[in-house]
Amino acid sequence: MESSGFAVAIMAAGKGTRLKSKRPKVLHEVGGRALLLHVIAAAETVAPAREIFCIIGHEADSVRAAVERTGVQFVLQAEQRGTGHAMQVLKAALELSGAPLPKHLLVLSGDVPLIRPETLAVLTQFHIAQNAAMTILTAVPPDPTGYGRIIRSGPDSPEVEAIVEQKSLRPDQLRTPEINSGIYCFETAALFSKLDQLSTDNAHGEYYLTDVAGLLVAAGQRVVAIKADGVEQVLGANTIAEMMHLDAAMRAESARRLMAAGVTIFRPETCVIDAEVEVGPDTVIEPFTQLLGATRIGSDCRIRSYSVIQNSTIADGVTIRNGCILDGAEVSSGAIIGPYSHLRPESRIGEGAHVGNFCETKKVTIGRGSKANHLTYLGDAVIGDGTNVGAGVITCNYDGVHKHVTRIGDGSFIGSDCTLVAPISVGSGAYVAAGSCITQNVPDDALALGRAHQVTKEGWAAKKRKRLD
Ligand code: UD1
Ligand code: CA
């Protein structure tokens, strides 16, 4: 990406005390993705990853590990002494690096995840156009409690006098409706010139970045504010309840996006759909469905209620009946899955194949038109086209130490309740009799029986009853 003259700082070092969670706040998820990853994705629309500085501190190692693949830079704020302190630490790190300072700095909060790229574009342009030392992104939410408030110079003025934190509001300021989103643009030199003047003389005993606004104004520099379009995108996530509010907003947005693209979703408010999920037109999604991670679903599918589909690829015209769990599975066109099937990672279901009631699959390829309709476990197996796997068939893939492969050819028939002890292969066109325990390979077109011969004793029961009488 072309440099826009902006570097980005993301404040992500805080503990998130109000969450009462072991996990650092910025790794909590909304819309199926960590808060910080949402923010990084937004930041990447403004600057390349090498000019995005993530300020980390609390659980720094796990935060770094979770987002490292994005290629952003990290700055360690070992002790978290407030958002102003986070900037002091960034300043020290940038000065130490000896690299030229970026002219402008966009500052994002790691816990404001719904921020939209278009809004950041408007904010950065406004900052430049206003020739401001500091530009604050704001909003007017239904309930401003808990947020820092914007004190403007006048009702219609873009200029700001100060940001006042909730706990420092004077009684006459309590009703100030406009909040600080925690997202700002700064002229880097102006910001850095004021950081030494911050104090911890406030309700939290922290260095507030928000105090920089008043300091700049006092020095005759221009501080302005611009309202974001809509409130949701600037809401912060300090508590689990706030986070779930953002999660619901994000899911609702995913459902709206899919419906706008021709997908029918009954009772969308009951469905959980992650932001990256793609679904083709004319697919119908029934209530209480979850579509998670990098799931891709084609057109003309029907996803019935209570199915949970994660990181899976489903082609066109597939039916997923009620109550299925798919994780890392690939389902080809026209296949029918369920009800109550569990397709685990690397399950590849062929065109028009059926995997039915209470079947579990793992690392398996099932060929075109093959069927395994009832109560079956198929793991580490390769099954050809047009093969029928009877009720209750089990691939015994595990010897207690290693996993072994079962191969079944095309057009074979595996009778009900067979166990196939791997490594094993059953050829094409072969039959395996019901109730067999198969331990030796079965050639093409053969019949294999692996069970005790039946003994029938005529009249035995009648005689026994007579004896007991
Ligand atoms: C902050 C603002 C408030 C604004 C609100 C918007 C301050 C003083 N207040 O309050 O005006 O309305 O955001 O959501 O800035 N962080 C660090 N290092 C620290 C402390 C915090 O990196 O030492 C990070 C946190 O991880 C978080 C972000 O900065 O991602 C904001 O910190 P938080 O404590 O949540 O600030 P708020 O109380 O929400
Ligand atoms: Ca916050």
Side-chain angles (χ1 to χ4, degrees):
M1 184 172 298
E2 215 182 287
S3 173
S4 50
F6 276 89
V8 184
I10 303 176
M11 299 183 291
K15 180 163 188 257
T17 312
R18 288 162 278 185
L19 286 179
K20 304 192 168 60
S21 161
K22 288 188 292 297
R23 224 179 339 153
K25 170 156 69 175
V26 293
L27 294 189
H28 276 255
E29 292 183 357
V30 302
R33 189 153 71 146
L35 297 182
L36 185 52
L37 286 172
H38 286 286
V39 178
I40 290 173
E44 282 171 334
T45 66
V46 175
R50 64 175 184 284
E51 287 166 31
I52 298 173
F53 300 91
C54 254
I55 299 152
I56 58 174
H58 178 70
E59 296 273 345
D61 291 341
S62 58
V63 175
R64 182 195 295 259
V67 305
E68 210 159 27
R69 64 187 141 90
T70 60
V72 297
Q73 309 281 325
F74 296 96
V75 175
L76 185 68
Q77 185 193 13
E79 243 189 302
Q80 295 90 51
R81 303 175 65 194
T83 47
H85 181 245
M87 289 299 120
Q88 291 170 352
V89 170
L90 174 71
K91 174 176 182 253
L94 288 181
E95 286 173 355
L96 196 68
S97 79
L101 287 185
K103 176 109 176 65
H104 300 283
L105 192 63
L106 168 66
V107 177
L108 302 177
S109 284
D111 65 345
V112 182
L114 266 53
I115 186 67
R116 286 202 291 263
E118 310 85 78
T119 305
L120 295 181
V122 170
L123 173 68
T124 51
Q125 282 157 20
F126 185 76
H127 174 71
I128 300 291
Q130 289 284 320
N131 205 3
M134 175 182 190
T135 303
I136 308 158
L137 185 68
T138 72
V140 180
D143 179 11
T145 313
Y147 289 93
R149 297 320 150 71
I150 303 298
I151 311 297
R152 296 220 184 207
S153 307
D156 296 319
S157 169
E159 281 175 47
V160 169
E161 271 172 16
I163 305 174
V164 183
E165 290 304 296
Q166 170 79 35
K167 288 196 176 161
S168 310
L169 288 167
R170 291 192 315 256
D172 63 303
Q173 291 173 326
L174 276 171
R175 295 226 201 145
T176 310
E178 189 173 8
I179 65 148
N180 166 28
S181 67
I183 293 174
Y184 325 85
C185 289
F186 289 98
E187 196 193 314
T188 313
L191 167 66
F192 284 5
S193 73
K194 292 290 169 275
L195 291 175
D196 294 346
Q197 296 170 34
L198 293 176
S199 89
T200 57
D201 184 15
N202 54 51
H204 291 105
E206 291 186 346
Y207 294 101
Y208 289 166
L209 174 56
T210 46
D211 285 349
V212 169
L215 291 170
L216 287 169
V217 171
Q221 305 228 54
R222 187 169 168 77
V223 178
V224 296
I226 179 171
K227 279 193 198 124
D229 226 2
V231 169
E232 228 88 54
Q233 60 164 329
V234 301
L235 293 182
N238 294 317
T239 62
I240 300 272
E242 284 172 359
M243 212 166 283
M244 292 306 99
H245 177 76
L246 299 188
D247 184 76
M250 208 170 261
R251 308 295 186 179
E253 175 55 32
S254 298
R256 269 198 301 275
R257 170 176 60 85
L258 294 182
M259 290 189 286
V263 180
T264 298
I265 308 179
F266 288 110
R267 303 283 308 276
E269 72 280 12
T270 66
C271 295
V272 176
I273 301 174
D274 279 355
E276 289 169 55
V277 169
E278 286 173 17
V279 182
D282 295 309
T283 283
V284 176
I285 295 169
E286 295 190 1
F288 298 101
T289 295
Q290 299 193 27
L291 306 177
L292 308 174
T295 291
R296 307 260 174 285
I297 298 177
S299 318
D300 301 302
C301 294
R302 188 160 192 114
I303 314 296
R304 309 218 50 190
S305 292
Y306 310 114
S307 288
V308 180
I309 303 176
Q310 179 163 328
N311 298 326
S312 294
T313 305
I314 294 173
D316 297 337
V318 169
T319 301
I320 308 285
R321 292 182 174 145
N322 302 61
C324 291
I325 300 176
L326 278 70
D327 182 9
E330 263 176 51
V331 182
S332 305
S333 58
I336 300 176
I337 310 295
Y340 307 108
S341 302
H342 185 187
L343 273 48
R344 293 168 49 205
E346 295 182 56
S347 294
R348 298 197 174 84
I349 314 301
E351 228 176 279
H354 294 190
V355 175
N357 305 259
F358 302 100
C359 292
E360 175 182 350
T361 65
K362 185 219 73 172
K363 209 171 182 181
V364 66
T365 303
I366 296 179
R368 193 178 307 163
S370 289
K371 292 177 184 167
N373 267 332
H374 321 272
L375 300 157
T376 280
Y377 171 64
L378 300 171
D380 301 286
V382 182
I383 299 170
D385 299 341
T387 279
N388 189 82
V389 176
V393 169
I394 304 286
T395 54
C396 307
N397 58 331
Y398 186 48
D399 61 12
V401 183
H402 297 109
K403 300 282 170 67
H404 302 282
V405 173
T406 298
R407 292 177 195 281
I408 305 174
D410 299 333
S412 294
F413 183 94
I414 314 297
S416 293
D417 198 28
C418 286
T419 50
L420 305 168
V421 182
I424 192 93
S425 76
V426 176
S428 291
Y431 274 71
V432 175
S436 293
C437 176
I438 297 297
T439 55
Q440 292 163 22
N441 292 343
V442 180
D444 291 352
D445 300 317
L447 165 68
L449 293 106
R451 63 189 187 206
H453 276 287
Q454 179 174 335
V455 176
T456 307
K457 298 187 174 178
E458 293 272 354
W460 182 91
K463 269 188 230 157
K464 176 182 168 118
R465 275 193 298 275
K466 208 165 172 190
R467 208 170 53 238
L468 290 175
D469 285 348

